[in-house]
Amino acid sequence: MEIRYLGGPTAVLELGGVRLLTDPTFDAPGDYPIGNRALTKTAGPALGAAGLGAVDAVLLSHDQHPDNLDRAGRDYLASVPLVLSTGSAAGRLGGAVRALPNWTSVTVGDGLRVTGVPARHGPEGTEHLVGEVTGFVLEGDGLPTVYVSGDNASLDVVREIAGRFGPVDVALLFAGGARTPLVDGYLTLTSDDAVTAAEILEARHVVPLHFEHWAHFTQGRESVERAFAGFGDRLRLLAPGESTQIP
């Protein structure tokens, strides 16, 4: 398996002859008004959509927030043969976007099974404010088991996923401790909670995503490094544009 980190929540995953992209965010830095507030992007991706090349599918955790699907990312979806996401996203976006409900699976390519799994984008009871979000588990004969958390802030959700799929070989954890005035609490895992999630999953390797390049991420690269200090080379903390291969 090879993982290339592009920035924010966006990474290219290659396994089993299948090329996947997580949450496309390709815009330059700027502001994104949402009602009476705004999210601010502080850095662009290491690679733009034009230089990405073909992918077999996009794993889109949700479409309603620009830090997971920005303007250029939204345009990019029109060139993709398959986008797996929430039912809400499928209804809003149409086209190649396919709903993947929790615990249901689809096969991509020659035997890569993608399963939709729960994600809670904030404290319990805020779902009506933040909207529907999903995570993903990737599996296949002779392939590593990979968990992509999406914007999940709940360790109880992680325990439920670990009970069905753990231990996992690779955990891609959205770990920036995102916060906005919309809700009182974290919208994604903090660095410390990401460590706990990795331990619950018994993850052989951890690749943090969604921890930099947006102003509402409260915990960044240094926080992640500090929290995972005891993980040694199990932590694959990539620089934008950097790739890692996982046997």
Side-chain angles (χ1 to χ4, degrees), residues 3-247:
I3 301 170
R4 185 177 188 186
Y5 170 55
L6 302 186
T10 310
V12 180
L13 316 180
E14 298 188 44
L15 70 163
V18 176
R19 200 162 188 254
L20 305 171
L21 181 73
T22 63
D23 288 2
T25 53
F26 293 123
D27 283 352
D31 290 337
Y32 297 79
I34 302 177
N36 60 358
R37 58 192 176 90
L39 299 183
T40 299
K41 189 174 188 179
T42 59
L47 181 69
L52 181 61
V55 301
D56 296 292
V58 167
L59 306 180
L60 178 63
S61 67
H62 60 300
D63 70 306
Q64 65 268 30
H65 299 142
D67 57 317
N68 297 87
L69 184 68
D70 61 16
R71 300 178 190 106
R74 192 173 293 264
D75 291 342
Y76 175 77
L77 296 184
S79 68
V80 177
L82 177 64
V83 181
L84 300 173
S85 192
T86 65
S88 300
R92 284 187 289 258
L93 298 174
V97 184
R98 174 175 173 178
L100 190 64
N102 292 340
W103 316 122
T104 65
S105 303
V106 62
T107 299
V108 181
D110 187 17
L112 178 65
R113 186 167 61 256
V114 182
T115 302
V117 296
R120 184 183 299 151
H121 193 9
E124 189 170 4
T126 61
E127 292 83 358
H128 65 293
L129 296 173
V130 297
E132 187 181 12
V133 180
T134 192
F136 304 92
V137 171
L138 316 178
E139 304 172 287
D141 292 343
L143 299 177
T145 298
V146 182
Y147 168 54
V148 182
S149 74
D151 275 8
N152 173 60
S154 170
L155 292 175
D156 287 339
V157 164
V158 174
R159 291 185 183 95
E160 185 177 8
I161 293 164
R164 293 187 182 229
F165 295 99
V168 305
D169 295 293
V170 185
L172 284 83
L173 301 177
F174 288 30
R179 296 196 73 159
T180 74
L182 181 66
V183 300
D184 182 17
Y186 289 106
L187 298 169
T188 58
L189 297 171
T190 65
S191 298
D192 287 343
D193 281 348
V195 171
T196 302
E199 292 171 341
I200 292 168
L201 293 160
E202 300 180 61
R204 189 163 60 89
H205 296 287
V206 179
V207 181
L209 299 176
H210 201 264
F211 61 88
E212 60 187 356
H213 302 161
W214 289 83
H216 64 291
F217 297 173
T218 66
Q219 299 184 10
R221 184 172 294 269
E222 291 184 1
S223 176
V224 171
E225 284 184 309
R226 188 164 54 249
F228 280 93
F231 271 59
D233 62 4
R234 291 171 59 199
L235 175 67
R236 305 292 180 95
L237 183 58
L238 304 176
E242 185 181 6
S243 299
T244 186
Q245 292 190 345
I246 297 174

